[in-house]
Amino acid sequence: MTDFTPWTSAFGGALIGLSAVLLLALNGRIAGISGISSAVLPPWGERIANGDMAWRIAFIAGLFAAPLLVQMVNGEPIEQTVSGNIGLMVVAGLVTGFGAVYGGGCTSGHGVCGVSRLSMRSILATLTFMATAFITLFVMRHVVGV
Amino acid sequence: MKTFAGFICGLIFGVGLVISGMSNPAKVLNFLDIAGTWDPSLAFVMGGAVLVTFFGYRVVLNRASPMMSGVFHLPQNKDIDGQLLTGAAVFGVGWGLGGLCPGPAFTALPLMSTGIIAFFPALLIGMWAGRMVPGILAARA
């Protein structure tokens, strides 16, 4: 069980939106996490010459720093339950990473930024990954019983 | 300055993920579990994020250019194709298995649980493959 947290979740969501708006206003970029992080992976090609690596690496550093900052301010550990099934998590990582980049975006790029731009690609992608995520969870929890 | 802006945006994004509870895969998986221990919080995260972004983007895109860069880099691809839908479908399967999409994977890593240490390198390998495969397929066609 996890508690239903409408207010803190909506506030956290609004911060995610604020970040997306700022990144477009300042750097002219879409806050798609799979796009930003996959662009940092090799082969780098022209991206280094274009000077578009540093802000991406800094953005990722900000993501890494966030939980540490929240823990420091709150003075208590962040609640987190991650499956300890290593095989399952390796498969989940491979599938998540491949699908997100192959499909041109994940929950942030398609789900938040694309939907906000009313992009038909992003709306269809979001409906598609939501549907397969619901089905996968149902099969894993209620049919397979993992 | 562009680099510093990137850091601040990443930090705000990450704090948003942590405060909303989305850095906890259990909360994401329970959102997907309508038939069981349903926790609708994720819908409120998406709602809050889309609301701010929808109106914020309209204000920003009324300007001629971003403050620290010459042009707005907006996706130009409008094609609804197999790659978009296949990728999204595959991503959803992974999300349903692990409860971690790429953003929360980054904010979960510093907490160093066993599951995320297994997940994170696999995520990067999957992303790399997702970038390389379209080129390989195009070369064969």
Side-chain angles (χ1 to χ4, degrees):
Chain A
M1 282 296 284
T2 50
D3 295 326
F4 175 43
T5 53
W7 298 112
T8 50
S9 284
F11 177 66
L15 285 180
I16 293 170
L18 174 67
S19 162
V21 173
L22 281 176
L23 194 65
L24 188 69
L26 298 170
N27 290 6
R29 291 287 178 172
I30 296 287
I33 307 299
S34 44
I36 292 173
S37 46
S38 67
V40 172
L41 300 172
W44 294 297
E46 295 171 341
R47 273 188 293 271
I48 290 186
N50 293 345
D52 269 322
M53 288 301 269
W55 74 266
R56 289 194 173 99
I57 293 167
F59 186 97
I60 291 167
L63 285 178
F64 282 139
L68 307 173
L69 177 73
V70 173
Q71 271 187 352
M72 214 168 68
V73 172
N74 280 350
E76 54 185 57
I78 293 164
E79 195 185 327
Q80 192 193 65
T81 315
V82 187
S83 166
N85 184 334
I86 292 177
L88 174 79
M89 292 308 279
V90 168
V91 172
L94 288 171
V95 172
T96 303
F98 177 82
V101 173
Y102 190 69
C106 55
T107 351
S108 51
H110 279 316
V112 176
C113 298
V115 167
S116 296
R117 291 171 57 239
L118 303 178
S119 149
M120 193 44 69
R121 268 173 62 83
S122 291
I123 291 168
L124 286 175
T126 304
L127 291 174
T128 304
F129 67 66
M130 282 286 178
T132 57
F134 276 112
I135 294 167
T136 303
L137 189 284
F138 184 84
V139 170
M140 291 303 284
R141 244 185 218 183
H142 301 290
V143 180
V144 181
V146 177
Chain B
M1 281 310 285
K2 233 169 89 176
T3 307
F4 184 68
F7 179 78
I8 294 298
C9 289
L11 189 65
I12 296 172
F13 199 108
V15 169
L17 282 174
V18 174
I19 289 179
S20 67
M22 294 303 107
S23 59
N24 184 3
K27 223 167 152 54
V28 175
L29 294 174
N30 281 338
F31 171 75
L32 298 173
D33 193 10
I34 298 182
T37 53
W38 195 42
D39 174 355
S41 302
L42 188 146
F44 286 75
V45 182
M46 289 298 278
V50 168
L51 194 72
V52 171
T53 309
F54 181 85
F55 289 106
Y57 267 15
R58 265 143 198 83
V59 174
V60 169
L61 292 173
N62 271 331
R63 298 173 55 94
S65 65
M67 290 173 205
M68 299 177 187
S69 174
V71 286
F72 291 113
H73 299 269
L74 297 173
Q76 300 302 321
N77 188 349
K78 298 253 187 285
D79 301 340
I80 312 290
D81 53 16
Q83 184 176 338
L84 174 78
L85 299 176
T86 308
V90 170
F91 163 59
V93 171
W95 197 32
L97 287 176
L100 284 161
C101 50
F106 282 93
T107 54
L109 187 65
L111 305 179
M112 300 291 268
S113 64
T114 309
I116 190 68
I117 293 170
F119 182 91
F120 195 80
L123 178 79
L124 295 184
I125 293 168
M127 284 180 156
W128 176 81
R131 233 183 76 198
M132 301 310 285
V133 164
I136 295 167
L137 291 180
R140 282 201 177 173

